[in-house]
PDB file of all heavy atoms in Angstrom:
ATOM      1  N   ARG A 540     106.741 212.138 -45.472  1.00  0.00           N
ATOM      2  CA  ARG A 540     107.538 213.052 -46.238  1.00  0.00           C
ATOM      3  C   ARG A 540     106.729 214.096 -47.007  1.00  0.00           C
ATOM      4  O   ARG A 540     106.847 215.130 -46.972  1.00  0.00           O
ATOM      5  CB  ARG A 540     108.573 212.240 -47.181  1.00  0.00           C
ATOM      6  CG  ARG A 540     109.228 213.106 -48.236  1.00  0.00           C
ATOM      7  CD  ARG A 540     109.835 212.241 -49.271  1.00  0.00           C
ATOM      8  NE  ARG A 540     110.397 213.005 -50.413  1.00  0.00           N
ATOM      9  CZ  ARG A 540     110.773 212.426 -51.603  1.00  0.00           C
ATOM     10  NH1 ARG A 540     110.640 211.199 -51.741  1.00  0.00           N
ATOM     11  NH2 ARG A 540     111.257 213.206 -52.452  1.00  0.00           N
ATOM     12  N   PHE A 541     105.731 213.514 -47.746  1.00  0.00           N
ATOM     13  CA  PHE A 541     104.872 214.375 -48.492  1.00  0.00           C
ATOM     14  C   PHE A 541     104.133 215.329 -47.677  1.00  0.00           C
ATOM     15  O   PHE A 541     103.879 216.420 -48.032  1.00  0.00           O
ATOM     16  CB  PHE A 541     104.082 213.584 -49.424  1.00  0.00           C
ATOM     17  CG  PHE A 541     104.601 213.049 -50.861  1.00  0.00           C
ATOM     18  CD1 PHE A 541     105.465 211.965 -50.869  1.00  0.00           C
ATOM     19  CD2 PHE A 541     104.325 213.848 -51.849  1.00  0.00           C
ATOM     20  CE1 PHE A 541     106.123 211.650 -51.944  1.00  0.00           C
ATOM     21  CE2 PHE A 541     104.990 213.446 -53.067  1.00  0.00           C
ATOM     22  CZ  PHE A 541     105.871 212.376 -53.217  1.00  0.00           C
ATOM     23  N   GLU A 542     103.521 214.699 -46.605  1.00  0.00           N
ATOM     24  CA  GLU A 542     102.712 215.586 -45.760  1.00  0.00           C
ATOM     25  C   GLU A 542     103.550 216.703 -45.141  1.00  0.00           C
ATOM     26  O   GLU A 542     103.180 217.870 -44.981  1.00  0.00           O
ATOM     27  CB  GLU A 542     102.151 214.759 -44.604  1.00  0.00           C
ATOM     28  CG  GLU A 542     101.000 213.935 -45.020  1.00  0.00           C
ATOM     29  CD  GLU A 542     100.440 212.972 -43.885  1.00  0.00           C
ATOM     30  OE1 GLU A 542     101.280 212.818 -42.867  1.00  0.00           O
ATOM     31  OE2 GLU A 542      99.269 212.538 -44.016  1.00  0.00           O
ATOM     32  N   ALA A 543     104.890 216.374 -44.850  1.00  0.00           N
ATOM     33  CA  ALA A 543     105.749 217.518 -44.315  1.00  0.00           C
ATOM     34  C   ALA A 543     106.011 218.545 -45.368  1.00  0.00           C
ATOM     35  O   ALA A 543     106.266 219.752 -45.052  1.00  0.00           O
ATOM     36  CB  ALA A 543     107.091 216.892 -43.889  1.00  0.00           C
ATOM     37  N   ALA A 544     105.841 218.174 -46.603  1.00  0.00           N
ATOM     38  CA  ALA A 544     106.168 219.210 -47.670  1.00  0.00           C
ATOM     39  C   ALA A 544     104.815 219.939 -47.962  1.00  0.00           C
ATOM     40  O   ALA A 544     104.853 220.734 -49.022  1.00  0.00           O
ATOM     41  CB  ALA A 544     106.759 218.436 -48.935  1.00  0.00           C
ATOM     42  N   GLY A 545     103.772 219.611 -47.391  1.00  0.00           N
ATOM     43  CA  GLY A 545     102.549 220.365 -47.591  1.00  0.00           C
ATOM     44  C   GLY A 545     101.560 219.667 -48.503  1.00  0.00           C
ATOM     45  O   GLY A 545     100.666 220.384 -49.187  1.00  0.00           O
ATOM     46  N   TRP A 546     101.676 218.363 -48.773  1.00  0.00           N
ATOM     47  CA  TRP A 546     100.845 217.613 -49.620  1.00  0.00           C
ATOM     48  C   TRP A 546      99.665 216.978 -48.758  1.00  0.00           C
ATOM     49  O   TRP A 546      99.940 216.636 -47.631  1.00  0.00           O
ATOM     50  CB  TRP A 546     101.626 216.630 -50.438  1.00  0.00           C
ATOM     51  CG  TRP A 546     102.520 217.111 -51.493  1.00  0.00           C
ATOM     52  CD1 TRP A 546     103.477 218.114 -51.333  1.00  0.00           C
ATOM     53  CD2 TRP A 546     102.633 216.725 -52.869  1.00  0.00           C
ATOM     54  NE1 TRP A 546     104.105 218.128 -52.612  1.00  0.00           N
ATOM     55  CE2 TRP A 546     103.639 217.319 -53.467  1.00  0.00           C
ATOM     56  CE3 TRP A 546     101.778 215.640 -53.474  1.00  0.00           C
ATOM     57  CZ2 TRP A 546     103.894 217.211 -54.804  1.00  0.00           C
ATOM     58  CZ3 TRP A 546     102.072 215.533 -54.847  1.00  0.00           C
ATOM     59  CH2 TRP A 546     103.070 216.292 -55.472  1.00  0.00           C
ATOM     60  N   ASP A 547      98.712 216.632 -49.417  1.00  0.00           N
ATOM     61  CA  ASP A 547      97.732 215.661 -48.868  1.00  0.00           C
ATOM     62  C   ASP A 547      98.231 214.162 -49.374  1.00  0.00           C
ATOM     63  O   ASP A 547      98.435 214.024 -50.572  1.00  0.00           O
ATOM     64  CB  ASP A 547      96.346 215.975 -49.531  1.00  0.00           C
ATOM     65  CG  ASP A 547      95.275 215.008 -48.886  1.00  0.00           C
ATOM     66  OD1 ASP A 547      94.737 215.270 -47.789  1.00  0.00           O
ATOM     67  OD2 ASP A 547      95.015 213.892 -49.528  1.00  0.00           O
ATOM     68  N   ALA A 548      98.330 213.277 -48.373  1.00  0.00           N
ATOM     69  CA  ALA A 548      98.926 211.976 -48.730  1.00  0.00           C
ATOM     70  C   ALA A 548      98.144 210.939 -48.111  1.00  0.00           C
ATOM     71  O   ALA A 548      97.799 210.985 -46.924  1.00  0.00           O
ATOM     72  CB  ALA A 548     100.402 211.976 -48.320  1.00  0.00           C
ATOM     73  N   THR A 549      98.036 209.787 -48.797  1.00  0.00           N
ATOM     74  CA  THR A 549      97.231 208.615 -48.258  1.00  0.00           C
ATOM     75  C   THR A 549      97.815 207.424 -48.831  1.00  0.00           C
ATOM     76  O   THR A 549      98.535 207.430 -49.932  1.00  0.00           O
ATOM     77  CB  THR A 549      95.823 208.756 -48.555  1.00  0.00           C
ATOM     78  OG1 THR A 549      95.105 207.726 -47.826  1.00  0.00           O
ATOM     79  CG2 THR A 549      95.450 208.691 -49.969  1.00  0.00           C
ATOM     80  N   ARG A 550      97.555 206.302 -48.165  1.00  0.00           N
ATOM     81  CA  ARG A 550      97.958 205.014 -48.880  1.00  0.00           C
ATOM     82  C   ARG A 550      96.781 204.081 -49.066  1.00  0.00           C
ATOM     83  O   ARG A 550      95.874 203.986 -48.116  1.00  0.00           O
ATOM     84  CB  ARG A 550      99.004 204.264 -47.947  1.00  0.00           C
ATOM     85  CG  ARG A 550      99.366 202.810 -48.391  1.00  0.00           C
ATOM     86  CD  ARG A 550     100.558 202.270 -47.639  1.00  0.00           C
ATOM     87  NE  ARG A 550     101.871 202.795 -48.067  1.00  0.00           N
ATOM     88  CZ  ARG A 550     102.581 203.535 -47.391  1.00  0.00           C
ATOM     89  NH1 ARG A 550     102.203 204.018 -46.188  1.00  0.00           N
ATOM     90  NH2 ARG A 550     103.769 204.030 -47.860  1.00  0.00           N
ATOM     91  N   ILE A 551      96.592 203.412 -50.258  1.00  0.00           N
ATOM     92  CA  ILE A 551      95.523 202.492 -50.559  1.00  0.00           C
ATOM     93  C   ILE A 551      96.024 201.168 -51.082  1.00  0.00           C
ATOM     94  O   ILE A 551      97.118 201.063 -51.441  1.00  0.00           O
ATOM     95  CB  ILE A 551      94.487 203.253 -51.529  1.00  0.00           C
ATOM     96  CG1 ILE A 551      95.314 203.509 -52.803  1.00  0.00           C
ATOM     97  CG2 ILE A 551      93.980 204.511 -50.924  1.00  0.00           C
ATOM     98  CD1 ILE A 551      94.460 203.866 -54.026  1.00  0.00           C
ATOM     99  N   ASP A 552      95.047 200.292 -51.191  1.00  0.00           N
ATOM    100  CA  ASP A 552      95.316 199.068 -51.997  1.00  0.00           C
ATOM    101  C   ASP A 552      95.201 199.391 -53.468  1.00  0.00           C
ATOM    102  O   ASP A 552      94.116 199.701 -53.981  1.00  0.00           O
ATOM    103  CB  ASP A 552      94.323 198.085 -51.598  1.00  0.00           C
ATOM    104  CG  ASP A 552      94.466 196.711 -52.330  1.00  0.00           C
ATOM    105  OD1 ASP A 552      95.295 196.594 -53.193  1.00  0.00           O
ATOM    106  OD2 ASP A 552      93.562 195.758 -52.022  1.00  0.00           O
ATOM    107  N   GLY A 553      96.281 199.320 -54.172  1.00  0.00           N
ATOM    108  CA  GLY A 553      96.291 199.656 -55.594  1.00  0.00           C
ATOM    109  C   GLY A 553      95.628 198.605 -56.558  1.00  0.00           C
ATOM    110  O   GLY A 553      95.674 198.838 -57.715  1.00  0.00           O
ATOM    111  N   HIS A 554      95.014 197.513 -55.962  1.00  0.00           N
ATOM    112  CA  HIS A 554      94.360 196.586 -56.692  1.00  0.00           C
ATOM    113  C   HIS A 554      92.816 196.641 -56.463  1.00  0.00           C
ATOM    114  O   HIS A 554      92.099 195.727 -56.780  1.00  0.00           O
ATOM    115  CB  HIS A 554      94.836 195.177 -56.526  1.00  0.00           C
ATOM    116  CG  HIS A 554      96.358 195.040 -56.988  1.00  0.00           C
ATOM    117  ND1 HIS A 554      96.725 195.306 -58.251  1.00  0.00           N
ATOM    118  CD2 HIS A 554      97.401 194.776 -56.206  1.00  0.00           C
ATOM    119  CE1 HIS A 554      98.057 195.200 -58.299  1.00  0.00           C
ATOM    120  NE2 HIS A 554      98.566 194.849 -57.130  1.00  0.00           N
ATOM    121  N   ASP A 555      92.393 197.589 -55.627  1.00  0.00           N
ATOM    122  CA  ASP A 555      90.980 197.680 -55.233  1.00  0.00           C
ATOM    123  C   ASP A 555      90.453 199.001 -55.978  1.00  0.00           C
ATOM    124  O   ASP A 555      90.628 200.158 -55.581  1.00  0.00           O
ATOM    125  CB  ASP A 555      90.947 197.959 -53.708  1.00  0.00           C
ATOM    126  CG  ASP A 555      89.543 198.072 -53.190  1.00  0.00           C
ATOM    127  OD1 ASP A 555      88.573 198.361 -54.057  1.00  0.00           O
ATOM    128  OD2 ASP A 555      89.242 198.129 -51.992  1.00  0.00           O
ATOM    129  N   PRO A 556      89.633 198.671 -57.018  1.00  0.00           N
ATOM    130  CA  PRO A 556      89.120 199.795 -57.860  1.00  0.00           C
ATOM    131  C   PRO A 556      88.343 200.790 -57.088  1.00  0.00           C
ATOM    132  O   PRO A 556      88.403 202.010 -57.286  1.00  0.00           O
ATOM    133  CB  PRO A 556      88.278 199.076 -58.894  1.00  0.00           C
ATOM    134  CG  PRO A 556      88.871 197.688 -58.987  1.00  0.00           C
ATOM    135  CD  PRO A 556      89.291 197.353 -57.586  1.00  0.00           C
ATOM    136  N   ALA A 557      87.629 200.409 -56.155  1.00  0.00           N
ATOM    137  CA  ALA A 557      86.786 201.317 -55.354  1.00  0.00           C
ATOM    138  C   ALA A 557      87.670 202.231 -54.432  1.00  0.00           C
ATOM    139  O   ALA A 557      87.463 203.421 -54.385  1.00  0.00           O
ATOM    140  CB  ALA A 557      85.794 200.543 -54.440  1.00  0.00           C
ATOM    141  N   ALA A 558      88.658 201.693 -53.853  1.00  0.00           N
ATOM    142  CA  ALA A 558      89.574 202.521 -53.118  1.00  0.00           C
ATOM    143  C   ALA A 558      90.321 203.408 -53.932  1.00  0.00           C
ATOM    144  O   ALA A 558      90.601 204.623 -53.572  1.00  0.00           O
ATOM    145  CB  ALA A 558      90.593 201.555 -52.428  1.00  0.00           C
ATOM    146  N   ILE A 559      90.709 202.935 -55.081  1.00  0.00           N
ATOM    147  CA  ILE A 559      91.415 203.914 -56.088  1.00  0.00           C
ATOM    148  C   ILE A 559      90.577 205.105 -56.408  1.00  0.00           C
ATOM    149  O   ILE A 559      90.996 206.215 -56.349  1.00  0.00           O
ATOM    150  CB  ILE A 559      91.900 203.114 -57.278  1.00  0.00           C
ATOM    151  CG1 ILE A 559      92.893 201.969 -56.994  1.00  0.00           C
ATOM    152  CG2 ILE A 559      92.576 204.066 -58.317  1.00  0.00           C
ATOM    153  CD1 ILE A 559      92.993 200.942 -58.135  1.00  0.00           C
ATOM    154  N   ALA A 560      89.268 204.789 -56.805  1.00  0.00           N
ATOM    155  CA  ALA A 560      88.402 205.855 -57.208  1.00  0.00           C
ATOM    156  C   ALA A 560      88.164 206.758 -56.122  1.00  0.00           C
ATOM    157  O   ALA A 560      88.032 207.988 -56.311  1.00  0.00           O
ATOM    158  CB  ALA A 560      87.147 205.215 -57.814  1.00  0.00           C
ATOM    159  N   SER A 561      87.955 206.229 -54.947  1.00  0.00           N
ATOM    160  CA  SER A 561      87.706 207.172 -53.715  1.00  0.00           C
ATOM    161  C   SER A 561      88.820 208.047 -53.508  1.00  0.00           C
ATOM    162  O   SER A 561      88.622 209.214 -53.267  1.00  0.00           O
ATOM    163  CB  SER A 561      87.380 206.207 -52.575  1.00  0.00           C
ATOM    164  OG  SER A 561      87.111 207.027 -51.402  1.00  0.00           O
ATOM    165  N   ALA A 562      90.030 207.569 -53.504  1.00  0.00           N
ATOM    166  CA  ALA A 562      91.239 208.355 -53.274  1.00  0.00           C
ATOM    167  C   ALA A 562      91.409 209.476 -54.327  1.00  0.00           C
ATOM    168  O   ALA A 562      91.687 210.588 -53.885  1.00  0.00           O
ATOM    169  CB  ALA A 562      92.393 207.522 -53.196  1.00  0.00           C
ATOM    170  N   ILE A 563      91.152 209.100 -55.600  1.00  0.00           N
ATOM    171  CA  ILE A 563      91.343 210.149 -56.678  1.00  0.00           C
ATOM    172  C   ILE A 563      90.283 211.287 -56.427  1.00  0.00           C
ATOM    173  O   ILE A 563      90.504 212.407 -56.584  1.00  0.00           O
ATOM    174  CB  ILE A 563      91.318 209.574 -58.047  1.00  0.00           C
ATOM    175  CG1 ILE A 563      92.482 208.666 -58.161  1.00  0.00           C
ATOM    176  CG2 ILE A 563      91.467 210.658 -59.029  1.00  0.00           C
ATOM    177  CD1 ILE A 563      92.501 207.890 -59.515  1.00  0.00           C
ATOM    178  N   ALA A 564      89.037 210.737 -56.094  1.00  0.00           N
ATOM    179  CA  ALA A 564      87.960 211.715 -55.965  1.00  0.00           C
ATOM    180  C   ALA A 564      88.210 212.694 -54.884  1.00  0.00           C
ATOM    181  O   ALA A 564      88.016 213.855 -54.942  1.00  0.00           O
ATOM    182  CB  ALA A 564      86.598 210.957 -55.685  1.00  0.00           C
ATOM    183  N   HIS A 565      88.810 212.182 -53.707  1.00  0.00           N
ATOM    184  CA  HIS A 565      89.163 212.946 -52.523  1.00  0.00           C
ATOM    185  C   HIS A 565      90.170 213.978 -52.926  1.00  0.00           C
ATOM    186  O   HIS A 565      90.082 215.097 -52.605  1.00  0.00           O
ATOM    187  CB  HIS A 565      89.527 212.099 -51.346  1.00  0.00           C
ATOM    188  CG  HIS A 565      90.246 212.946 -50.220  1.00  0.00           C
ATOM    189  ND1 HIS A 565      89.470 213.715 -49.386  1.00  0.00           N
ATOM    190  CD2 HIS A 565      91.568 212.962 -49.903  1.00  0.00           C
ATOM    191  CE1 HIS A 565      90.226 214.296 -48.611  1.00  0.00           C
ATOM    192  NE2 HIS A 565      91.537 213.867 -48.867  1.00  0.00           N
ATOM    193  N   ALA A 566      91.231 213.510 -53.710  1.00  0.00           N
ATOM    194  CA  ALA A 566      92.313 214.271 -54.092  1.00  0.00           C
ATOM    195  C   ALA A 566      91.863 215.623 -54.898  1.00  0.00           C
ATOM    196  O   ALA A 566      92.566 216.643 -54.760  1.00  0.00           O
ATOM    197  CB  ALA A 566      93.324 213.517 -54.984  1.00  0.00           C
TER     198      ALA A 566
END
């Protein structure tokens, strides 16, 4: 849905600090 609206979208493990940091840095 978000990608169709022109967003960058991804799914991560919300309890993995490294994955959270990597996703925000990419955003």
